[in-house]
Amino acid sequence: KSTLLRCIADVYQKDDGKIYIEGFDNSTNEARSEVFFLSDAPYYSGNSNAKETMQFYSSLFDLDETIFESLISKLSLPLDRKISTFSKGMRRQLFLCIALSMKANIILLDEAFDGLDPLVQDVIKEEIIKNSENKTYLISSHNLLSLERLCDNFIVLSKGRCTREGAQEDLGKNFKKFQILFTEEVSEEQLIKAGVEVVSYKKIGSIISLVVAGINDAEIIKEKFSPTLFENVVLDNDEVIKLEMLMAKKGENKMAYHISVFLENTP
């Protein structure tokens, strides 16, 4: 994720391919003026205070100081304290204030909410939502819960590949989770052989916690294995993103298997 954002912002030079921003190659001044990238480890001088750091970034990028001062006030950050005395969370808050004060139309935020408490997250999210009609925010995160009700669309990246994308409400839509008790032992292999699209299989005591992705999987399980207990379980957002990544890995393994078989059978 970080590599992709750095490539978009032209921090990293591309080995191949093209990235266009508003019709301009991302290496041009026209494209760069449209983008501000906040990395997960932004530059700062430990001897400077919050205001001096803002002024440094303002000398390099088009920044609205009025918005910056408003955000700093909302978060109660000290303007005259050295950043070297800030906690990790305070530093992150400061740089988010700087990023959200930028006049650029595209704001790239790498691990935006890392280290922030829920109340601070709410302030930042409120500011993002308030300006979302005029700007595009591309946010990377391992924590889906922090992005809940904030993002319109999502992309799941695994090993440098886009493995899933869509509208936020579609995330995890195909997954169904069940708690099942069988009269006899039923293994994951048996379920797969019966045509069940197993995403996750866990056995806790005699209960099986099963996540599937097939449309008719519930009917197949009931018809072929006659469980004595079969309950639907609601998936939380953290589970959903883990399952999306698990599906991506399973897809990669399947692809690697097919390539291997093809090579073995090729003269």
PDB file of all heavy atoms in Angstrom, residues 113-134:
ATOM      1  N   PHE A 113      -4.797   6.709  10.627  1.00  0.00           N
ATOM      2  CA  PHE A 113      -5.327   6.696  11.988  1.00  0.00           C
ATOM      3  C   PHE A 113      -4.479   5.872  12.957  1.00  0.00           C
ATOM      4  O   PHE A 113      -4.919   5.582  14.065  1.00  0.00           O
ATOM      5  CB  PHE A 113      -6.762   6.170  11.967  1.00  0.00           C
ATOM      6  CG  PHE A 113      -7.673   7.003  11.112  1.00  0.00           C
ATOM      7  CD1 PHE A 113      -8.117   6.533   9.879  1.00  0.00           C
ATOM      8  CD2 PHE A 113      -8.060   8.263  11.516  1.00  0.00           C
ATOM      9  CE1 PHE A 113      -8.943   7.307   9.081  1.00  0.00           C
ATOM     10  CE2 PHE A 113      -8.894   9.044  10.726  1.00  0.00           C
ATOM     11  CZ  PHE A 113      -9.327   8.573   9.509  1.00  0.00           C
ATOM     12  N   ASP A 114      -3.274   5.515  12.539  1.00  0.00           N
ATOM     13  CA  ASP A 114      -2.395   4.716  13.378  1.00  0.00           C
ATOM     14  C   ASP A 114      -2.020   5.495  14.641  1.00  0.00           C
ATOM     15  O   ASP A 114      -1.493   6.603  14.577  1.00  0.00           O
ATOM     16  CB  ASP A 114      -1.127   4.350  12.596  1.00  0.00           C
ATOM     17  CG  ASP A 114      -0.230   3.402  13.356  1.00  0.00           C
ATOM     18  OD1 ASP A 114      -0.762   2.600  14.131  1.00  0.00           O
ATOM     19  OD2 ASP A 114       0.995   3.470  13.176  1.00  0.00           O
ATOM     20  N   GLY A 115      -2.308   4.920  15.802  1.00  0.00           N
ATOM     21  CA  GLY A 115      -1.913   5.546  17.064  1.00  0.00           C
ATOM     22  C   GLY A 115      -2.851   6.614  17.574  1.00  0.00           C
ATOM     23  O   GLY A 115      -2.526   7.285  18.559  1.00  0.00           O
ATOM     24  N   LEU A 116      -4.015   6.799  16.935  1.00  0.00           N
ATOM     25  CA  LEU A 116      -4.959   7.838  17.362  1.00  0.00           C
ATOM     26  C   LEU A 116      -6.085   7.240  18.195  1.00  0.00           C
ATOM     27  O   LEU A 116      -6.601   6.165  17.876  1.00  0.00           O
ATOM     28  CB  LEU A 116      -5.561   8.543  16.147  1.00  0.00           C
ATOM     29  CG  LEU A 116      -4.606   9.268  15.203  1.00  0.00           C
ATOM     30  CD1 LEU A 116      -5.398  10.004  14.139  1.00  0.00           C
ATOM     31  CD2 LEU A 116      -3.703  10.230  15.950  1.00  0.00           C
ATOM     32  N   ASP A 117      -6.485   7.964  19.241  1.00  0.00           N
ATOM     33  CA  ASP A 117      -7.601   7.467  20.045  1.00  0.00           C
ATOM     34  C   ASP A 117      -8.913   7.760  19.305  1.00  0.00           C
ATOM     35  O   ASP A 117      -8.953   8.592  18.390  1.00  0.00           O
ATOM     36  CB  ASP A 117      -7.591   8.067  21.448  1.00  0.00           C
ATOM     37  CG  ASP A 117      -7.884   9.561  21.476  1.00  0.00           C
ATOM     38  OD1 ASP A 117      -8.907   9.987  20.905  1.00  0.00           O
ATOM     39  OD2 ASP A 117      -7.103  10.306  22.092  1.00  0.00           O
ATOM     40  N   PRO A 118     -10.004   7.076  19.674  1.00  0.00           N
ATOM     41  CA  PRO A 118     -11.278   7.193  18.944  1.00  0.00           C
ATOM     42  C   PRO A 118     -11.819   8.615  18.848  1.00  0.00           C
ATOM     43  O   PRO A 118     -12.394   8.993  17.825  1.00  0.00           O
ATOM     44  CB  PRO A 118     -12.232   6.298  19.746  1.00  0.00           C
ATOM     45  CG  PRO A 118     -11.342   5.296  20.400  1.00  0.00           C
ATOM     46  CD  PRO A 118     -10.082   6.035  20.720  1.00  0.00           C
ATOM     47  N   LEU A 119     -11.656   9.437  19.898  1.00  0.00           N
ATOM     48  CA  LEU A 119     -12.181  10.815  19.872  1.00  0.00           C
ATOM     49  C   LEU A 119     -11.445  11.667  18.842  1.00  0.00           C
ATOM     50  O   LEU A 119     -12.056  12.451  18.112  1.00  0.00           O
ATOM     51  CB  LEU A 119     -12.069  11.451  21.265  1.00  0.00           C
ATOM     52  CG  LEU A 119     -12.973  10.848  22.345  1.00  0.00           C
ATOM     53  CD1 LEU A 119     -12.716  11.513  23.697  1.00  0.00           C
ATOM     54  CD2 LEU A 119     -14.443  10.993  21.958  1.00  0.00           C
ATOM     55  N   VAL A 120     -10.126  11.497  18.769  1.00  0.00           N
ATOM     56  CA  VAL A 120      -9.327  12.230  17.770  1.00  0.00           C
ATOM     57  C   VAL A 120      -9.696  11.750  16.372  1.00  0.00           C
ATOM     58  O   VAL A 120      -9.838  12.553  15.442  1.00  0.00           O
ATOM     59  CB  VAL A 120      -7.816  12.039  18.040  1.00  0.00           C
ATOM     60  CG1 VAL A 120      -6.997  12.605  16.878  1.00  0.00           C
ATOM     61  CG2 VAL A 120      -7.428  12.694  19.348  1.00  0.00           C
ATOM     62  N   GLN A 121      -9.885  10.433  16.206  1.00  0.00           N
ATOM     63  CA  GLN A 121     -10.298   9.893  14.913  1.00  0.00           C
ATOM     64  C   GLN A 121     -11.597  10.541  14.442  1.00  0.00           C
ATOM     65  O   GLN A 121     -11.744  10.862  13.263  1.00  0.00           O
ATOM     66  CB  GLN A 121     -10.474   8.375  15.000  1.00  0.00           C
ATOM     67  CG  GLN A 121      -9.177   7.604  15.102  1.00  0.00           C
ATOM     68  CD  GLN A 121      -9.400   6.104  14.983  1.00  0.00           C
ATOM     69  OE1 GLN A 121     -10.288   5.649  14.278  1.00  0.00           O
ATOM     70  NE2 GLN A 121      -8.568   5.331  15.668  1.00  0.00           N
ATOM     71  N   ASP A 122     -12.528  10.729  15.365  1.00  0.00           N
ATOM     72  CA  ASP A 122     -13.815  11.336  15.004  1.00  0.00           C
ATOM     73  C   ASP A 122     -13.639  12.757  14.467  1.00  0.00           C
ATOM     74  O   ASP A 122     -14.308  13.153  13.515  1.00  0.00           O
ATOM     75  CB  ASP A 122     -14.753  11.353  16.215  1.00  0.00           C
ATOM     76  CG  ASP A 122     -15.335   9.984  16.521  1.00  0.00           C
ATOM     77  OD1 ASP A 122     -15.250   9.099  15.644  1.00  0.00           O
ATOM     78  OD2 ASP A 122     -15.871   9.791  17.632  1.00  0.00           O
ATOM     79  N   VAL A 123     -12.747  13.534  15.077  1.00  0.00           N
ATOM     80  CA  VAL A 123     -12.488  14.907  14.625  1.00  0.00           C
ATOM     81  C   VAL A 123     -11.911  14.890  13.207  1.00  0.00           C
ATOM     82  O   VAL A 123     -12.338  15.656  12.331  1.00  0.00           O
ATOM     83  CB  VAL A 123     -11.512  15.642  15.579  1.00  0.00           C
ATOM     84  CG1 VAL A 123     -11.115  16.997  15.004  1.00  0.00           C
ATOM     85  CG2 VAL A 123     -12.154  15.822  16.950  1.00  0.00           C
ATOM     86  N   ILE A 124     -10.939  14.000  12.977  1.00  0.00           N
ATOM     87  CA  ILE A 124     -10.297  13.905  11.660  1.00  0.00           C
ATOM     88  C   ILE A 124     -11.305  13.434  10.615  1.00  0.00           C
ATOM     89  O   ILE A 124     -11.379  13.988   9.506  1.00  0.00           O
ATOM     90  CB  ILE A 124      -9.086  12.952  11.718  1.00  0.00           C
ATOM     91  CG1 ILE A 124      -8.039  13.448  12.721  1.00  0.00           C
ATOM     92  CG2 ILE A 124      -8.475  12.786  10.332  1.00  0.00           C
ATOM     93  CD1 ILE A 124      -7.472  14.814  12.429  1.00  0.00           C
ATOM     94  N   LYS A 125     -12.086  12.420  10.955  1.00  0.00           N
ATOM     95  CA  LYS A 125     -13.094  11.907  10.013  1.00  0.00           C
ATOM     96  C   LYS A 125     -14.109  12.980   9.661  1.00  0.00           C
ATOM     97  O   LYS A 125     -14.520  13.119   8.502  1.00  0.00           O
ATOM     98  CB  LYS A 125     -13.807  10.698  10.613  1.00  0.00           C
ATOM     99  CG  LYS A 125     -12.967   9.445  10.691  1.00  0.00           C
ATOM    100  CD  LYS A 125     -13.767   8.329  11.348  1.00  0.00           C
ATOM    101  CE  LYS A 125     -12.930   7.101  11.594  1.00  0.00           C
ATOM    102  NZ  LYS A 125     -13.696   6.033  12.256  1.00  0.00           N
ATOM    103  N   GLU A 126     -14.531  13.746  10.660  1.00  0.00           N
ATOM    104  CA  GLU A 126     -15.500  14.821  10.429  1.00  0.00           C
ATOM    105  C   GLU A 126     -14.958  15.832   9.427  1.00  0.00           C
ATOM    106  O   GLU A 126     -15.675  16.297   8.536  1.00  0.00           O
ATOM    107  CB  GLU A 126     -15.801  15.507  11.763  1.00  0.00           C
ATOM    108  CG  GLU A 126     -16.876  16.587  11.690  1.00  0.00           C
ATOM    109  CD  GLU A 126     -17.102  17.260  13.034  1.00  0.00           C
ATOM    110  OE1 GLU A 126     -17.087  16.567  14.067  1.00  0.00           O
ATOM    111  OE2 GLU A 126     -17.278  18.490  13.032  1.00  0.00           O
ATOM    112  N   GLU A 127     -13.677  16.150   9.551  1.00  0.00           N
ATOM    113  CA  GLU A 127     -13.049  17.105   8.630  1.00  0.00           C
ATOM    114  C   GLU A 127     -12.952  16.515   7.223  1.00  0.00           C
ATOM    115  O   GLU A 127     -13.197  17.204   6.229  1.00  0.00           O
ATOM    116  CB  GLU A 127     -11.648  17.466   9.133  1.00  0.00           C
ATOM    117  CG  GLU A 127     -10.987  18.609   8.389  1.00  0.00           C
ATOM    118  CD  GLU A 127     -11.689  19.946   8.572  1.00  0.00           C
ATOM    119  OE1 GLU A 127     -12.410  20.118   9.576  1.00  0.00           O
ATOM    120  OE2 GLU A 127     -11.530  20.813   7.693  1.00  0.00           O
ATOM    121  N   ILE A 128     -12.611  15.235   7.124  1.00  0.00           N
ATOM    122  CA  ILE A 128     -12.523  14.574   5.821  1.00  0.00           C
ATOM    123  C   ILE A 128     -13.892  14.557   5.141  1.00  0.00           C
ATOM    124  O   ILE A 128     -14.031  14.892   3.960  1.00  0.00           O
ATOM    125  CB  ILE A 128     -11.964  13.149   5.974  1.00  0.00           C
ATOM    126  CG1 ILE A 128     -10.480  13.205   6.352  1.00  0.00           C
ATOM    127  CG2 ILE A 128     -12.143  12.352   4.678  1.00  0.00           C
ATOM    128  CD1 ILE A 128      -9.869  11.850   6.670  1.00  0.00           C
ATOM    129  N   ILE A 129     -14.917  14.164   5.899  1.00  0.00           N
ATOM    130  CA  ILE A 129     -16.270  14.105   5.339  1.00  0.00           C
ATOM    131  C   ILE A 129     -16.741  15.486   4.900  1.00  0.00           C
ATOM    132  O   ILE A 129     -17.356  15.646   3.837  1.00  0.00           O
ATOM    133  CB  ILE A 129     -17.248  13.490   6.374  1.00  0.00           C
ATOM    134  CG1 ILE A 129     -16.926  12.008   6.578  1.00  0.00           C
ATOM    135  CG2 ILE A 129     -18.699  13.653   5.920  1.00  0.00           C
ATOM    136  CD1 ILE A 129     -17.612  11.386   7.766  1.00  0.00           C
ATOM    137  N   LYS A 130     -16.416  16.498   5.695  1.00  0.00           N
ATOM    138  CA  LYS A 130     -16.832  17.875   5.388  1.00  0.00           C
ATOM    139  C   LYS A 130     -16.262  18.352   4.055  1.00  0.00           C
ATOM    140  O   LYS A 130     -16.907  19.085   3.313  1.00  0.00           O
ATOM    141  CB  LYS A 130     -16.379  18.808   6.512  1.00  0.00           C
ATOM    142  CG  LYS A 130     -16.923  20.229   6.407  1.00  0.00           C
ATOM    143  CD  LYS A 130     -16.642  21.005   7.681  1.00  0.00           C
ATOM    144  CE  LYS A 130     -15.188  21.423   7.743  1.00  0.00           C
ATOM    145  NZ  LYS A 130     -14.898  22.280   8.919  1.00  0.00           N
ATOM    146  N   ASN A 131     -15.046  17.906   3.741  1.00  0.00           N
ATOM    147  CA  ASN A 131     -14.376  18.363   2.514  1.00  0.00           C
ATOM    148  C   ASN A 131     -14.407  17.337   1.386  1.00  0.00           C
ATOM    149  O   ASN A 131     -13.772  17.541   0.350  1.00  0.00           O
ATOM    150  CB  ASN A 131     -12.909  18.716   2.817  1.00  0.00           C
ATOM    151  CG  ASN A 131     -12.790  19.910   3.724  1.00  0.00           C
ATOM    152  OD1 ASN A 131     -13.455  20.918   3.508  1.00  0.00           O
ATOM    153  ND2 ASN A 131     -11.978  19.806   4.753  1.00  0.00           N
ATOM    154  N   SER A 132     -15.135  16.239   1.574  1.00  0.00           N
ATOM    155  CA  SER A 132     -15.074  15.151   0.601  1.00  0.00           C
ATOM    156  C   SER A 132     -15.725  15.496  -0.737  1.00  0.00           C
ATOM    157  O   SER A 132     -15.460  14.849  -1.744  1.00  0.00           O
ATOM    158  CB  SER A 132     -15.711  13.885   1.180  1.00  0.00           C
ATOM    159  OG  SER A 132     -17.068  14.126   1.505  1.00  0.00           O
ATOM    160  N   GLU A 133     -16.587  16.510  -0.778  1.00  0.00           N
ATOM    161  CA  GLU A 133     -17.200  16.894  -2.055  1.00  0.00           C
ATOM    162  C   GLU A 133     -16.199  17.582  -2.967  1.00  0.00           C
ATOM    163  O   GLU A 133     -16.329  17.557  -4.186  1.00  0.00           O
ATOM    164  CB  GLU A 133     -18.402  17.808  -1.810  1.00  0.00           C
ATOM    165  CG  GLU A 133     -19.602  17.095  -1.206  1.00  0.00           C
ATOM    166  CD  GLU A 133     -20.813  18.005  -1.109  1.00  0.00           C
ATOM    167  OE1 GLU A 133     -20.763  19.107  -1.700  1.00  0.00           O
ATOM    168  OE2 GLU A 133     -21.788  17.619  -0.454  1.00  0.00           O
ATOM    169  N   ASN A 134     -15.203  18.213  -2.369  1.00  0.00           N
ATOM    170  CA  ASN A 134     -14.230  18.985  -3.154  1.00  0.00           C
ATOM    171  C   ASN A 134     -12.899  18.270  -3.341  1.00  0.00           C
ATOM    172  O   ASN A 134     -12.081  18.678  -4.149  1.00  0.00           O
ATOM    173  CB  ASN A 134     -13.968  20.337  -2.467  1.00  0.00           C
ATOM    174  CG  ASN A 134     -15.245  21.117  -2.214  1.00  0.00           C
ATOM    175  OD1 ASN A 134     -16.102  21.189  -3.085  1.00  0.00           O
ATOM    176  ND2 ASN A 134     -15.375  21.679  -1.027  1.00  0.00           N
TER     177      ASN A 134
END
